[in-house]
Amino acid sequence: MPDTNVTWNTWLSSINAFDQLVKLPDELGGALFQPTPADQQGAWLLYTEIESRISIQPLHYRTGDEATALSSLHSLFQTTRKLVAAQGAEGRCFTTIALYVLNTHVRPLTAKWHKKMSHGHLHHDDACREFRRELTALQFKLVAFGRLLYCLAADLPGKMDVFALTDNDSAKGQVFYLGGDIPFDRILSDRDDGICDELYTAEYESIAERRNSDGEVTNLAGLACSGGGIRSATFCLGVGQALARRGVLAEVDYLSTVSGGGYFGAFLSSYLNDSDRQQVGLEAGKLPLGVDGDQEPAPVRSLRNNSKYLLKGGLLGKARMAGLMLYGIFVNIVAVMAVLFMVLGLAKLAAHMGLSSERFNELVVMGISGLSAVVLSMVLALPFIYKKYRLEKERVRQYETVAICSALGIVMIAVLYLALPRLYAVLETLTGGNLQVLVVLFLVTAATAVLTMRAGLNSRLGRVLVLFLSLSGPLLLLMTFMVLDDVIAPTIPWVMGLVVASIVMTAWLSLVNVNQVSPHRYYRNRLAETYLQRRGEAKEVDPQPLSHLQSNNLQVPYHLINATINLPNSEEPGLRGRGADFFLFSRHYCGSPHTGYCGTKALERVDPHLDLGTAMAASGAAASSFMGTNTIRGLSFWLSLLNIRLAYWLPNPMRVTEMAGQAYASPFSLWRELFGKMDGKREFVNISDGGHIENLGVYELLRRRCKFIIAIDAEADPTMSFSSLIKLTRYAHIDLGINLDIDLDDLRPNELGNTRAHYALGTIDYGKGDTGYLLYIKSSMTGNEKEYVLDYKKRHPSFPHETTADQFFNEAQFEAYRSLGEHAAEDLFHREFIGDGCGMGLKSLFESWAAVLMPEENGGGGPVARGESG
């Protein structure tokens, strides 16, 4: 029986959280505690409702359903109203307590979040975490309320043990077992020339020195910055600022960059390579990403002020760029005309010597007949060859190759013999030998190139236009030859003039460095002026040799600058038809699996123009005649001729030891670029944007078997199709036998165009039980970014995937991308993920991220109780 001296207020005061849970009117609170059967029945029924609801259960990051929890809370009002009505006036005390709790504690949350949910705000991850945080605070009160109702229903006056939930309980209660350590092993390569072992040793020693470790180097960590021009550079800058502030960037062993991500990477490598360790570093509060007391670090402010880097230099700079483009076009035309003049001179010499069309026809027929007889004899001899050399397969293969090439030669001669006179006649009829027609054709072709890009290469019209472009280059050369043939007489003075002109042109061209007449030089210089910042005694140093990186400051991560080597004429089966290969610039070695590697210092001695700025520009040479796996063969000739050539001609690492002294690419390189005759055997190789083969920069980190990889993807991906990640996954499986497994559902846009999160965490299966982890940060919108970012999005709907062709950022655009990157990275350090996060190393962070972001069955052993192995 209840104590007759106990009032309702006295009874409630014996229960924890009374002051913050229920406050009764004075006339009821001072009355004796004498609950009626109706009070007790209503309390019991409402208690069972609360205890069975999802709304009082902790919501896990991936499996929690915020909308369902909100709906459960909202329906509590209807349930309570029915219970209050059923108990009537006899349940006055129960009614007072229940309505007070619902109206005071529950209604503010349901009213706020019902409105937000109707506007779609519960679709993005940041708002969901805010809801879960507020729900957790309410759950404390609901649990207390449930216990109060239980005590009321059971007529219990004793104290209640109310426990408090916190919004980081899930992160504190479990961690994720990341698997065993992965040692720094030999870097994967198909070549067995000893250079890869030297490369491995150099990098191993550098990282061991940076870690100040005498033991075995294990669990490498890499940060990859994707391509995307200044858009990617600025987004990566924001991410980098957040990672540096949180102490993550200082633990990164490798910085692997591509294209625009390389702008940011070169900025870091340049600024950090400073002898002033007191002010320069990757710790919070140090330059270049932060400094105590400043609103914005001076180096970052400089990047913002120069975000229109291509327009630097004023009117004179713009005129210099235009003049360089025109001069390059002039050089390209001279290179083409030198070949045409030589061919035309030989043709006129033949005509002068009396080689009539009838005689020419006779010679062609005789040549075809003779070759046919040779091929027929070789075919008839095949059984004897197979029998005699059945154990010498290489000799048999050579014999077959000669026979096949001879047969193809006959076919080609016959086709040209039959087709060229008719084509010549048609063209002569169309042009009448008029030069203006060539100009018209040129303009039509230029317009076709524009239409091709606008129509899209995958459309039917686009494919037709590309076919036309493929034919238009040879057609233009043929028409030029035809016009010159009609204008120039077949006399000895003219013949000698043509030959001499060709020789003089070639001799003049031999003095030209093809890298100096392309836009590469202008592009490289503007990039270097903006991103290669320094301070202190080395402030004005430019160029900065690649081989000097990390020499002053061991905090600098080992920088891997990724590019593409274009090999459209290579028959190497290891390229798998890609027409390109991965190319690497680094402190100690440069090269590719196809060409092998050479020492960076040796390469710098041969090519004095090679430095950090040149490597950065070559890695970002997006607009080039040949673009790796993205090459459009129909456009290549025109892009070369019109000097749209940001790619860099570099001494071939395979042949550097053969070169004596300094060297530069000759016009022979230009001719190979015009006609796509580039392979990996010549003295110089064509290097373009790393995104032309792999745009994330993760490939080289996988080759080094990094345990932890943070990949920043800021490519233009308006449909969120993750094309770069998908391509990387394919390359990793085919080339390296490495399998990536990552769930991208949280990064797929909803009907409002927002994603649930900015990141996803996946596993890397290196084989033999070695498991790594890939944290994939995607340039995306969740809908709760800063107001000026949302405002920029309203005014520019394509944000954050505006075209890479836009390299002229204004202040609002620069800040929108920087702030978005910072917001996306800061979101990783929410209390729900890492608890208080104090003093957490990179491994601990990945454990915490994995515990929240990854399903239990997704590798690594799943969550385990804190205190167990892991």
Side-chain angles (χ1 to χ4, degrees), residues 727-782:
K727 182 184 286 188
L728 169 71
T729 303
R730 185 176 75 246
Y731 286 163
H733 176 70
I734 295 174
D735 297 357
L736 309 176
I738 296 171
N739 294 304
L740 305 181
D741 184 11
I742 186 167
D743 183 357
L744 300 173
D745 284 347
D746 288 342
L747 291 172
R748 303 189 191 280
N750 58 24
E751 63 275 7
L752 299 176
N754 293 328
T755 62
R756 178 180 171 88
H758 298 287
Y759 39 73
L761 183 66
T763 57
I764 308 168
D765 181 6
Y766 286 112
K768 298 181 180 179
D770 289 338
T771 301
Y773 293 85
L774 172 66
L775 178 64
Y776 178 66
I777 303 176
K778 182 71 171 177
S779 179
S780 56
M781 295 286 291
T782 55

Side-chain angles (χ1 to χ4, degrees), residues 2 13 31 116 243 278 310 370 417 497 553 586 654 677 679 781 823 850:
S13 66
K116 285 180 173 288
L243 296 182
Q278 298 300 314
L310 285 179
Y417 171 66
N553 192 336
S586 72
M654 183 189 297
K677 301 300 181 182
D679 55 39
M781 295 286 291
H823 168 82

